Structures are given as C-alpha cells and as structure tokens.
Amino acid sequence: MARIVMKFGGTSVANLERIHNVARHVKREVDAGHEVAVVVSAMSGKTNELVGWVQDMPKVAGATSPFYDAREYDAIVASGEQVTSGILAIALQSMGINARSWQGWQIPIRTDSAHGAARIEEIDGADIIKRMGEGQVAVVAGFQGLGPDNRIATLGRGGSDTSAVAIAAAVKADRCDIYTDVDGVYTTDPRIVPAARRMKKVSFEEMLEMASLGSKVLQVRSVELAMVHKVRTFVRSSFEDPDAPGMGDLLNPPGTLICAEEEIVEQEVVTGIAYAKDEAQISLRRLADRPGVSAAIFGPLAEAHINVDMIVQNISEDGSRTDMTFTVPSGDVDKAMQVLNENKEAIGFDVVQTESGLSKVSVIGIGMRSHAGVAATAFKALAGKSINIKAITTSEIKISILIDGAYSELAVRTLHSAYGLDKN
C-alpha cells in the first residue's frame, strides 16, 4: 500500500465525461489498496471566463479606473476549482467510493498575503492523513489557500500543480502523479520536432530549468517544491485508458519520473531543448561605470515585478562608460520602459533601445557539468544555419541563446539534432 496524490488539470476535467474518466483513474488506485488524495483544476476555459468577468465589471459599472480589489478577484476565480472538486467527489461517490471535497481554507493551506500570486507557507496535513487512513479519498480544490487576512488567496496560473506537490509533501506521499494532456516530458516540443522522445526520468534540476525556460508541462514553483521536499513526481496522461496494462504499476507507471539526480543511472550530456517566444531586449547605452548602477536599474524593475532574464554588460575601452543589455517578456516592455524613464536620473543612461520579437532557446542537461564542448556544439550548429546569436547566458546545466523569433523553430530542430536527441 502506498500514499498517492493525483492531480488533474483543466483539460482532464473539461466536462462531465472527462471527470468520470478521472474518477476511473482514482478508482484504480483505490482498488489497489492505496491511500489517495486528488487535486483538481477548474474545468478547461472556466478560469479565463471568470477572469474576464472580473476585468469587465469595472467597465460595465462605469468606473474611471480598470483596477479591482485583488481579494475579490481571488474569491471569484477560485470558484472554478471548488466546482470541479465537488463534481469529482460526486462522481466517486456514485462509483461506490468514499470521497469528500476539500477547499484550500478547509485543510488549511496557509499562504502569504500576495493575492493573485500567493505562495504556500504551511499545510497542516493531519486531518487529510486521518481521513485517508479511514479509507476516504480527499478531493482538494487546487490553486487556492488561505491568506493571513483569512480570505481565499490564489497561487497564480498553474497553481494547482503547486498545490498538488505541496500537499504530497505535507502528507508524506510516496508519489505525486501530475495528469495532463501529454503522456510525459519530451526532449523538446513534439509539435516542432516529431522525432522528440519521451524521457523515462529527468532530474529535478533539469525539470526546473525546462519549466522556467519555456516548457509548459509543469509550473516552476511546483518543481521547486518537489526538489526541496524530494517528492517523486510522475507526469502522466489522463487520456490513456485507466485500465490499460501498466497504468497501475506502483514503481514505474507510464510517463516521466521527475526525481533526484541520484536515481538517474545513465545521465545524458544534454537532456532537452526548451524555448520561449515573445522575448524582448532592452539596452541602456553609455552608462557611467560605477558601483551602484546595476542596483539602480534592476532594483526598481524588481519592485515593479518585472522578470529580468539574460543580462549582458559591455565596458568601454577606457573603463569609464558601459552598456547594459537585458531581456524581459515582450508584454512587460512598456512597463519596464516607464520604470527606467522614471529612474533615468538615478541610473544615468544616455539612451535606451528596445527590440521585440525575439526568442530564447536553451540547451539543458546535468551531464554538462562533466563534459566540455557543449556550448561550442550549439554555436557551430546555429552558425551552419546562418542563425545570428544576440546574447548568451550559461549555468552549470544550461546554455540559453537569444535569437530572432523567426528562427526559433529552426534553432530548436537544429540543436535537437546536433546533440543526437533524435536518436532512440
């Protein structure tokens, strides 16, 4: 017998028929004698609809400002998960399974006060553990918790993944299964590279890089939590037949296992290629080269919650002036420009230039730590396709390259082949 947390995303619970299919997946694990908790997202499209209502109400009411209270935003958008958890509990009860729905505040899942993008601070799993021990399936509404003000706080987009991993850690689960519309984690996006392979295992560190660099399989915070708490996490497909051979395998079910590096015996030099479109580059020209300039630039940007990624600094020959170039999501360019112009005197730049429509392509692999020439392979391969590189950043297990967005798919295919990831 094992303790398992199962999470189902929006496409997996898009309608009553799919929720019944989810219930069959849950029943399979219950019938095998496991203790089970389930975390669900809102039905596909429901959160977008609720967000749209929130954003439209000030306009309908004739307000002069488009802003709204974030606490009420959370109360509204969290209702999607509440509906799904109740419907799934009914589906399970109809199949003869003892099940009960739980909202974030009932557990409780304690969060900080950042409504709309809260972070989980504490979960008391004692009550759920007790109920699971009595044979009851806990069906938990994902994406939500209870803030310090005793109001519902949501965790940001993809927050149900985070809810599932956090609950798995709190109840000391043997496994956390993330069911989605794909059957695992691939070496790159199969829509771009049909020869992309599903990986059997990937390390927490690699998955964290993939998630932060454009892979949409898992939310970044969920991978961080899994890594910190060593929660063995499987990415699985909810659209496979719940009773197909191997689906009930406790140790090696179909899908991709995200685990500690020590569990991966054969480490590839390069594990996968990730990409992110809609990047923008901002360059500040002729800055004074003095202590405090970087803080004057990136401090206000951080306070405005603008995510800065690649940073490149070039110093003039006489060492008196410097250029600073960095990337932000394209959607944040206007906001970033406003912040920079408001702080122009403190920063001291002569001119600011922007370029949108860029893409970031990243090569990821824990094997890079012990192999030379990985970066050179990427540069040579891209040069062979006449793809110009605008910026480069590296870490122990990652190389990120900034290029024109028009070449992103070509770059992904080229790098995937250059590192032999097309081969079985």
Side-chain angles (χ1 to χ4, degrees):
M1 186 183 75
R3 185 174 293 161
I4 299 173
V5 172
M6 308 170 73
K7 181 265 174 177
F8 295 90
T11 54
S12 302
V13 294
N15 52 46
L16 296 185
E17 289 72 27
R18 288 189 181 178
I19 291 175
H20 175 249
N21 187 61
V22 164
R24 291 178 59 210
H25 280 286
V26 177
K27 186 177 187 298
R28 179 191 66 234
E29 304 298 352
V30 172
D31 289 347
H34 303 312
E35 295 180 354
V36 179
V38 186
V39 176
V40 291
S41 298
M43 299 167 77
S44 182
K46 181 55 66 176
T47 300
N48 287 340
E49 181 183 26
L50 295 169
V51 170
W53 291 352
V54 173
Q55 293 174 339
D56 289 344
M57 193 64 248
K59 303 173 193 173
V60 173
T64 56
S65 168
F67 296 108
Y68 45 79
D69 191 321
R71 292 163 295 187
E72 302 307 333
Y73 168 93
D74 278 353
I76 295 163
V77 298
S79 65
E81 282 72 17
Q82 180 172 326
V83 170
T84 311
S85 62
I87 292 176
L88 179 55
I90 290 173
L92 291 168
Q93 292 166 3
S94 301
M95 298 166 72
I97 295 172
N98 180 9
R100 182 64 62 206
S101 65
W102 294 70
Q103 310 314 308
W105 59 268
Q106 291 176 303
I107 296 174
I109 298 173
R110 300 282 182 183
T111 75
D112 62 18
S113 59
H115 282 278
R119 292 174 74 89
I120 295 173
E121 293 189 337
E122 180 186 9
I123 298 180
D124 184 354
D127 204 3
I128 287 184
I129 291 172
K130 175 177 175 291
R131 298 288 188 96
M132 286 195 297
E134 295 169 353
Q136 186 177 94
V137 174
V139 184
V140 183
F143 178 61
Q144 61 178 252
L146 186 67
D149 54 1
N150 258 12
R151 296 192 62 89
I152 292 173
T154 62
L155 309 180
R157 286 307 179 106
S160 292
D161 286 350
T162 303
S163 300
V165 173
I167 289 169
V171 302
K172 296 180 171 55
D174 297 284
R175 201 175 78 202
C176 180
D177 291 353
I178 306 290
Y179 286 83
T180 181
D181 53 1
V182 295
D183 60 354
V185 180
Y186 281 72
T187 49
T188 195
D189 189 338
R191 294 169 299 181
I192 293 178
V193 184
R197 294 180 290 109
R198 186 180 73 189
M199 293 179 279
K200 191 173 182 61
K201 293 181 180 180
V202 61
S203 72
F204 290 124
E205 292 89 344
E206 288 169 321
M207 193 66 235
L208 185 58
E209 292 286 8
M210 288 181 186
S212 63
L213 294 169
S215 174
K216 303 293 193 297
V217 177
L218 287 177
Q219 197 248 12
V220 174
R221 180 64 181 146
S222 69
V223 184
E224 289 176 348
L225 281 174
M227 183 166 63
V228 169
H229 296 285
K230 295 290 188 284
V231 177
R232 299 177 84 248
T233 304
F234 277 91
V235 176
R236 308 180 62 178
S237 171
S238 64
F239 297 118
E240 293 188 28
D241 184 346
D243 300 318
M247 289 296 285
D249 189 328
L250 176 62
L251 298 178
N252 294 294
T256 299
L257 171 62
I258 304 165
C259 58
E261 187 178 332
E262 296 75 36
E263 283 197 56
I264 303 175
V265 178
E266 295 182 11
Q267 296 179 356
E268 300 284 348
V269 177
V270 171
T271 302
I273 311 296
Y275 71 98
K277 294 183 177 180
D278 296 323
E279 295 283 311
Q281 182 175 268
I282 299 177
S283 299
L284 301 176
R285 303 297 185 192
R286 294 183 291 280
L287 293 156
D289 186 24
R290 56 177 172 76
V293 170
S294 295
I297 297 169
F298 300 114
L301 291 172
E303 290 172 7
H305 304 290
I306 296 169
N307 183 34
V308 174
D309 186 16
M310 309 173 83
I311 302 173
V312 178
Q313 183 176 10
N314 297 312
I315 301 173
S316 63
E317 288 185 13
D318 63 4
S320 64
R321 310 293 281 178
T322 183
D323 292 340
M324 187 77 74
T325 299
F326 56 91
T327 62
V328 299
S330 289
D332 286 342
V333 170
D334 291 342
K335 189 177 178 182
M337 289 293 289
Q338 181 181 344
V339 170
L340 293 170
N341 286 321
E342 287 173 354
N343 292 272
K344 182 174 182 178
E345 188 174 336
I347 298 170
F349 60 86
D350 278 358
V351 66
V352 59
Q353 299 170 330
T354 65
E355 183 179 4
S356 297
L358 306 178
S359 290
K360 178 176 60 181
V361 181
S362 303
V363 178
I364 301 156
I366 51 178
M368 288 187 195
R369 291 173 178 156
S370 54
H371 286 78
V374 178
T377 299
F379 304 152
K380 183 177 179 180
L382 294 179
K385 298 293 183 180
S386 300
I387 298 173
N388 187 44
I389 297 173
K390 293 180 175 292
I392 304 162
T393 57
T394 63
S395 74
E396 232 184 348
I397 65 169
K398 171 204 74 180
I399 302 163
S400 288
I401 299 165
L402 191 69
I403 61 173
D404 282 323
Y407 297 100
S408 57
E409 294 188 6
L410 175 60
V412 169
R413 290 193 293 268
T414 299
L415 294 174
H416 196 268
S417 296
Y419 293 105
L421 296 176
D422 295 343
K423 302 172 185 175
N424 292 325

